[in-house]
Amino acid sequence: MSPSSHDDEWEERTVVGRIATVSASARRDRAHLLVLGGESLGQMFRIELSETIIGRAADATIHLHDEGVSRRHARIVQKDGELCIEDLDSANGTLLNNDPIRSAVLRDGDKIQMGSTTILKFTYADELEEKFQQGMHDAAVYDGLTKACNKRHFVHRLQIEASYAKRHGTPLSLLMFDVDHFKQVNDRHGHLAGDHVLETLAQIVRGTLRAEDLFVRYGGEEFAVLCRGVILDNAAALAERLREKVQAFVFEHQGQHIPLTISVGVAPWVDQPDSTTRLIADADAALYDAKDGGRNRVVMHRG
């Protein structure tokens, strides 16, 4: 039987001294892009649409944060049973195995470079490999309890966002908040209750933020939200919404009601030496002012 298309293609495999034929369309391995270098290092993206847009735009199918990546940098499409990558007139171009391309067929193991740091590997992987890789990435980036980003990832991402703000002249704001009297929650209700409170709090926060906002567990009961393109007053309005939602929410653990409030400090990024360090310090100072002022409030740092 001769193949008529890629979907009907047959591959030969030797099994116990005989030839077994397996339909390539029935293979369980699926096409993926694995990030080998750049902001999303270790993340694996499955390619399962007829068109996959890769870029920095928030609505891109595969969203990358590398400043050198265009908003709609490239796309992967199916053509004549093959997966092809096409550059979408990006500012810095697309390299396939170190060669600039406009359009090319993708083969297992191909390396794709976009922007200054992003390197992607095109590969086929089964569900087990995909889950393992995703687990490794999540462990490196996210806090296990709250699923917020960890401090290490935040520090790295903050540098990227500050560079973006400087280059494009756009605002950048930081919220820092912690749970008021959290030690009393642990002392009165136990550490399992404290964990439940933090996990539930994180769910409330994620339900309030935009997709482009970065939610971080900074340490213990202290959290941060990095807001791209948001001026100080709007960031403060977001902080107030968060404060009100937390105060109104009924936290419960094993039938016990746990009243909860947060204090929030908000600061704007300013283009100056050590700007990222200063931004964290300013937001942290505003947070302490909120706590010293009676807690359950929002304080802005205006410089």
Side-chain angles (χ1 to χ4, degrees), residues 230-293:
V230 177
I231 63 174
L232 178 63
D233 288 345
N234 290 345
L238 169 62
E240 182 62 22
R241 287 199 302 274
L242 288 174
R243 187 199 65 78
E244 291 175 350
K245 283 190 174 184
V246 172
Q247 183 179 26
F249 190 84
V250 179
F251 291 85
E252 290 186 349
H253 184 256
Q254 295 182 345
Q256 293 183 311
H257 175 52
I258 306 175
L260 206 73
T261 60
I262 60 173
S263 298
V264 192
V266 189
W269 175 82
V270 179
D271 184 11
Q272 59 185 5
D274 297 322
S275 62
T276 55
T277 301
R278 180 63 182 271
L279 175 60
I280 295 173
D282 288 347
D284 205 40
L287 168 59
Y288 277 96
D289 286 345
K291 297 179 78 68
D292 289 343

Side-chain angles (χ1 to χ4, degrees), residues 183-198:
K183 185 177 183 300
Q184 294 181 13
V185 175
N186 284 329
D187 291 345
R188 292 177 182 176
H189 303 282
H191 288 280
L192 289 179
D195 286 349
H196 173 73
V197 162
L198 294 180

